[in-house]
Amino acid sequence: MPPKSRLGQNFLRDQQAIRRIVAALGDCSDRTVVEIGPGMGAITRELAAKAGKVLALEVDRELAARLSAEFSAGAAGLGDDAQGTKVQIEIADVLSFDFAAASVAAGQRLLVAGNLPYYITSPILQKLAENSDALDRAVLMVQREVADRVMAEPGSRDFGFLSVAVQMHGPVERLFTLPPSAFSPPPEVHSTVFRWRFAPRFRELRVERAPFLKFLRQVFALKRKTLANNLRAAGIEAVVIADAFSDAGIDSKARAEAISVETLAALWRVLNSAGTTSTIEVAPEVD
Ligand code: SAM
């Protein structure tokens, strides 16, 4: 069966990397792990050996059928405690998957693992962020440039909406990077594995999730402009912005990528209490 590039099918063939991805989840012997895009089962087999239960979501029917056959054959041959009984392959689009219901069914917050299909990395990160209450931690492989943006800190060229939108849902850690030759067929890019521990910061920073994410999207809308100009473009009056900057301790010429999320939260609180954030009309997606 030839790999389908439109579904981001670049299969991992580096056994050491596979072991490191699963080990990075920590002890998962009594946990349910959701695997995004099991493909040919490279990571699934290692998860089957280490996790309490594996729920693998694969959108490609042919691959899902192959994996189901492999794991149910394993279960039939090895008895009830065999790895096949604890691996469930679902034909599913991860973007439509109900993580909250799966977490309730499992009676615990879920772990997530995946060598992600790169064509939908941002929507998947957004989906996980939206479901962070149902999730404990994730170990994910993404294109290296995307990992750079996810992990970026204020002051870095890569710091932007994706960085804050992810990091507002919990800390991220870079683990390791693989060359294209670790995959078959090789992609055109390097790939980086990172860990994300879900611990949303909205309450701690005293901001409301949806309006604050909307605000952040506007703040980072035009990276070459100053923060003040981006807020002006969102319809907030110059005098209101100047007062809010002075209350939040922000320089009038500052660019958003130089400002910490704590200071952005302080700015949002000032603008929100002045009733100005409601004028911002931008969708809160991660990209
Ligand atoms: N985990 C395997 C590995 O590491 O070799 C495969 C990884 S491959 C990069 C991405 C996998 O995600 C493919 O098997 C692809 O069919 C699957 N996929 C693509 N879009 C998907 C979606 N919307 N929902 C679930 N799986 C998807």
Side-chain angles (χ1 to χ4, degrees):
M1 194 189 308
K4 301 180 179 86
S5 59
R6 71 185 161 80
L7 290 178
Q9 293 181 353
N10 299 96
F11 301 114
L12 186 53
R13 59 194 193 102
D14 177 330
Q15 287 304 320
Q16 198 198 355
I18 292 166
R19 283 194 294 274
R20 287 176 77 184
I21 289 171
V22 175
L25 282 172
D27 180 10
C28 50
S29 53
D30 58 357
R31 305 298 296 249
T32 295
V33 182
V34 175
E35 187 191 359
I36 299 171
M40 311 269 274
I43 300 171
T44 325
R45 280 177 214 105
E46 178 72 5
L47 285 172
K50 301 279 158 62
K53 191 169 183 333
V54 183
L55 192 50
L57 314 175
E58 177 55 65
V59 80
D60 182 329
R61 288 179 171 273
E62 288 170 297
L63 286 181
R66 228 161 104 155
L67 279 182
S68 288
E70 174 182 335
F71 285 104
S72 55
L78 295 168
D80 277 353
D81 292 335
Q83 65 179 33
T85 55
K86 63 178 180 182
V87 179
Q88 193 180 325
I89 311 291
E90 277 196 31
I91 303 171
D93 176 347
V94 59
L95 299 180
S96 315
F97 184 68
D98 190 340
F99 282 94
S103 165
V104 170
Q108 55 180 235
R109 287 164 76 207
L110 305 166
L111 308 192
V112 180
N115 168 15
L116 300 187
Y118 293 172
Y119 75 105
I120 45 168
T121 301
S122 292
I124 292 175
L125 296 180
Q126 181 182 352
K127 173 88 180 178
L128 297 179
E130 281 165 1
N131 286 280
S132 53
D133 288 348
L135 308 177
D136 184 286
R137 52 194 188 267
V139 175
L140 305 171
M141 171 122 59
V142 299
Q143 182 177 336
R144 181 172 58 186
E145 290 73 14
V146 174
D148 290 343
R149 288 165 55 210
V150 164
M151 237 84 50
E153 296 193 354
S156 131
R157 190 168 53 93
D158 287 320
F159 187 65
F161 182 68
L162 183 66
S163 328
V164 283
V166 168
Q167 293 172 27
M168 277 301 295
H169 295 86
V172 282
E173 252 173 288
R174 185 188 302 272
L175 299 179
F176 59 93
T177 294
L178 293 173
S181 58
F183 303 85
S184 174
E188 283 171 7
V189 293
H190 278 64
S191 300
T192 295
V193 177
F194 73 97
R195 180 168 44 219
W196 188 4
R197 295 186 188 279
F198 296 95
R201 301 190 64 197
F202 300 98
R203 191 170 300 172
E204 168 208 337
L205 295 177
R206 291 178 287 133
V207 293
E208 291 165 53
R209 184 181 183 278
F212 184 55
L213 289 176
K214 230 184 224 184
F215 170 73
L216 291 175
R217 178 169 276 286
Q218 187 61 46
V219 154
F220 289 104
L222 299 160
K223 286 201 82 178
R224 286 171 192 281
K225 286 196 174 190
T226 62
L227 173 59
N229 278 341
N230 273 324
L231 293 175
R232 289 274 295 131
I236 302 179
E237 284 177 44
V239 58
V240 174
I241 296 170
D243 284 353
F245 275 26
S246 134
D247 285 358
I250 298 173
D251 185 274
S252 61
K253 297 267 183 301
R255 288 177 197 279
E257 59 262 36
I259 301 174
S260 72
V261 73
E262 290 80 5
T263 304
L264 290 170
L267 175 62
W268 182 85
R269 291 196 303 268
V270 174
L271 289 171
N272 195 47
S273 63
T276 39
T277 53
S278 56
T279 58
I280 295 177
E281 276 310 328
V282 192
E285 302 97 31
V286 174
D287 71 8

